[in-house]
Amino acid sequence: MLLLTAIVSLLWIIAPVAGSAVAVKVCHSVLFKIDIADNSFIPALSTDYERRIVFKEPISDKALLGHVIRRELVSDEGQCRVKCYMEPSCVSINVGPMNQVTKTCDLNNATVDGSPGSTLKPKIGYLHLAVENHCHSDPCREKNALCQVGFTEKRYRCVCQEGYQGTHCNEDVDECTHNLHNCAPKMTCVNEYGSFFCKDSLSVIVCEGQTKEIRCESISKIRVLWANYGRLNPETCPHPSIRTINCRASASLNNVRKVCQDKTACTLKSNSGSFGGDPCGGTYKYLLVEYKCDD
């Protein structure tokens, strides 16, 4: 059976639209294999994605300063537009001097209408072009996510910080379940909203409304390391009433230490009254305690 590998070269199209603005659509290269025996198509590796941006009318003798991502050399304005397309965070360009054979192309991560403090400055011989900025309303502000223009049907996408996921980066990544943590083999990963921690201690979970005793053997004493009354994930003590997974009673650690610290045994109660009130109404909570037995 003979396999051929082919590469589709970069294809870019610049098409005029209303108002002399320009729509740019570029398809990245796609690596694929064709099975000659049965003429089937077998995807092997794809970097194919589509970004659609629309440039507004050029502004002569102006430039946006202080927001340059990268500076390139080009022969004309069209090349600069394509380079902006290829840089996902580019939303405007400065290109010039226009009377020179080789021109400077500044790729900017801001537009005048979308970034506080961004203003155009005089720059003779240059053109400034901005794209329609669908990140202007800051739709990715959740968890300091990065907004990039021209992707998806909404014409933007949110690039999440580590630990978060989802369309607007407001969903937790469970590093423990998906083995994305760096805990040592003898340590246990504990997931938190937006993060995780590694523990080498004992732990106990008490679902809301229940009680549980913890006890150290012999003459060892309980040393409470960490505690939270609330909810940090949907899996622990599952229940239909879960409105949030970022719920923490601020008095958790102090209150558990009052009950258990330096004792051989103690009884933990999981209810709002034991922690100074309800930290998240309408959500079924649990008490999670990490502790050691020290001699």
Side-chain angles (χ1 to χ4, degrees):
M1 181 179 294
L2 177 63
L3 292 177
L4 295 182
T5 300
I7 298 177
V8 179
S9 300
L10 177 69
L11 170 67
W12 61 272
I13 302 169
I14 300 181
V17 295
S20 298
V22 173
V24 180
K25 176 180 177 181
V26 180
C27 296
H28 278 235
S29 61
V30 181
L31 177 66
F32 62 89
K33 295 179 180 178
I34 300 176
D35 186 338
I36 299 299
D38 59 7
N39 204 31
S40 61
F41 179 84
I42 308 172
L45 173 66
S46 176
T47 56
D48 186 50
Y49 71 88
E50 182 177 308
R51 184 186 185 204
R52 298 177 63 187
I53 55 177
V54 177
F55 282 95
K56 299 179 181 180
E57 292 283 353
I59 301 175
S60 299
D61 298 323
K62 297 284 187 179
L64 179 64
L65 306 181
H67 296 277
V68 177
I69 304 170
R70 193 171 70 253
R71 180 164 289 164
E72 302 270 0
L73 296 178
V74 297
S75 60
D76 55 46
E77 173 198 328
Q79 284 187 1
C80 191
R81 295 189 190 213
V82 173
K83 288 182 180 294
C84 182
Y85 172 88
M86 300 296 292
E87 168 53 59
S89 295
C90 177
V91 289
S92 70
I93 58 175
N94 310 314
V95 57
M98 298 307 294
N99 61 354
Q100 300 292 323
V101 175
T102 301
K103 302 166 180 58
T104 299
C105 169
D106 290 342
L107 308 180
N108 304 318
N109 62 0
T111 58
V112 174
D113 61 348
S115 303
S118 299
T119 57
L120 295 180
K121 303 294 184 181
K123 197 164 187 179
I124 303 301
Y126 276 72
L127 291 179
H128 174 76
L129 297 93
V131 306
E132 293 181 356
N133 190 354
H134 297 274
C135 290
H136 174 67
S137 61
D138 197 16
C140 303
R141 57 186 173 275
E142 187 83 21
K143 307 303 177 187
N144 295 318
L146 173 66
C147 185
Q148 293 181 335
V149 173
F151 297 93
T152 77
E153 61 184 12
K154 300 185 298 296
R155 295 294 178 261
Y156 70 86
R157 70 180 178 188
C158 299
V159 181
C160 305
Q161 297 279 352
E162 185 176 356
Y164 299 97
Q165 62 184 351
T167 303
H168 292 96
C169 301
N170 55 357
E171 300 174 15
D172 175 56
V173 173
D174 189 337
E175 293 88 352
C176 302
T177 300
H178 298 292
N179 199 30
L180 300 175
H181 61 86
N182 57 358
C183 297
K186 293 185 178 181
M187 301 184 76
T188 301
C189 176
V190 179
N191 187 61
E192 292 187 301
Y193 187 71
S195 185
F196 69 94
F197 66 91
C198 306
K199 69 181 182 70
D200 60 353
S201 57
L202 301 170
S203 65
V204 61
I205 296 170
V206 190
C207 296
E208 188 168 17
Q210 299 180 7
T211 61
K212 189 171 290 187
E213 183 187 68
I214 58 175
R215 178 180 296 274
C216 292
E217 300 297 328
S218 186
I219 60 172
S220 297
K221 304 295 184 182
I222 297 170
R223 180 160 64 94
V224 180
L225 304 175
W226 183 88
N228 183 64
Y229 173 69
R231 179 167 288 276
L232 301 178
N233 65 66
E235 292 83 17
T236 304
C237 295
H239 195 274
S241 297
I242 299 177
R243 294 183 178 179
T244 178
I245 55 171
N246 188 21
C247 176
R248 306 163 189 265
S250 59
S252 298
L253 182 58
N254 287 338
N255 287 10
V256 172
R257 281 178 171 169
K258 288 178 182 178
V259 174
C260 297
Q261 191 80 342
D262 296 326
K263 296 182 179 180
T264 302
C266 65
T267 300
L268 297 169
K269 298 180 180 180
S270 181
N271 57 62
S272 299
S274 299
F275 295 95
D278 193 341
C280 46
T283 291
Y284 184 77
K285 294 164 282 293
Y286 58 86
L287 173 62
L288 173 60
V289 177
E290 304 290 331
Y291 68 99
K292 282 187 174 183
C293 291
D294 287 342
D295 294 334

